[in-house]
Amino acid sequence: MSKRTRQYIGIISAVVIYYVIHEGAHLLTALVMGVFKQINFMGIGVQIDVYNDRMSDFQTGIFCLAGAAASLIAAYILLTLRKKICSAKSPVFRCVMYYTSIIMLLLDPVYLSVLCGFFGGGDMNGISLLIPEAAARIIFGVLLAVNAFVFIKALLPEYKASFADNTDNQ
């Protein structure tokens, strides 16, 4: 299998895994709170719809924070397992885990620190019910900087070495 094919498989799989974890956390939270309404499929995205009128501000905040929290927990689990993942024989598996790690580490912090201001808020609308939006954006900005540092210093070198050792580098 060519390197480019592995990359496409890795990126597409990582996006699917992200949606399953991030939106799955929203879904579980909504189910536990008894406010689940439906799943909306929008273009390439998915959204968990809830009965907002049945939720307190605190519950809405927790519901919106659940996706980012689950993504970050998954990122740190993948970070902890990186040595085992990098020693796996399957280059496709390593590629999927590499791109999944990147998305889990960086996507929510980028969105919740910078991009939410340009795209309608999304989860930030609920998170700002727990803490002021400026504080949340600063927290996620710091998290973005820390996660970017972790990616550059820990994740990237190990995966780079893992891929360099790969004899199937067509």
Side-chain angles (χ1 to χ4, degrees):
M1 179 181 300
S2 74
K3 178 181 177 181
R4 175 123 7 238
T5 302
R6 281 194 306 272
Q7 288 173 328
Y8 284 129
I9 291 170
I11 291 168
I12 292 167
S13 298
V15 169
V16 169
I17 292 167
Y18 170 80
Y19 272 121
V20 167
I21 291 173
H22 182 97
E23 295 301 329
H26 287 312
L27 176 62
L28 289 175
T29 304
L31 290 169
V32 166
M33 292 180 183
V35 295
F36 173 72
K37 187 176 187 179
Q38 65 188 13
I39 299 174
N40 297 321
F41 294 93
M42 307 168 348
I44 61 168
V46 177
Q47 180 186 47
I48 305 303
D49 196 3
V50 294
Y51 293 103
N52 287 320
D53 56 335
R54 297 182 191 170
M55 298 169 71
S56 67
D57 285 353
F58 180 77
Q59 287 175 312
T60 302
I62 296 300
F63 170 78
C64 290
L65 188 58
S71 299
L72 291 169
I73 290 168
Y76 300 133
I77 290 170
L78 290 172
L79 183 65
T80 302
L81 297 174
R82 71 186 181 277
K83 290 185 187 308
K84 288 185 180 191
I85 293 167
C86 286
S87 66
K89 293 189 186 280
S90 170
V92 174
F93 174 75
R94 284 183 281 144
C95 192
V96 168
M97 291 298 101
Y98 173 68
Y99 286 112
T100 301
S101 297
I102 293 170
I103 286 175
M104 295 295 178
L105 274 174
L106 303 177
L107 187 60
D108 283 323
V110 165
Y111 184 77
L112 292 169
S113 65
V114 178
L115 298 178
C116 67
F118 300 104
F119 297 103
D123 287 339
M124 183 56 77
N125 293 333
I127 294 169
S128 65
L129 297 171
L130 297 174
I131 61 172
E133 182 175 337
R137 289 177 79 158
I138 290 168
I139 291 167
F140 281 102
V142 169
L143 196 54
L144 173 60
V146 168
N147 287 356
F149 180 80
V150 165
F151 168 72
I152 291 167
K153 292 295 185 181
L155 212 64
L156 184 59
E158 290 195 39
Y159 275 98
K160 203 173 199 181
S162 168
F163 292 132
D165 291 343
N166 183 16
T167 56
D168 185 19
N169 270 339
Q170 300 173 357

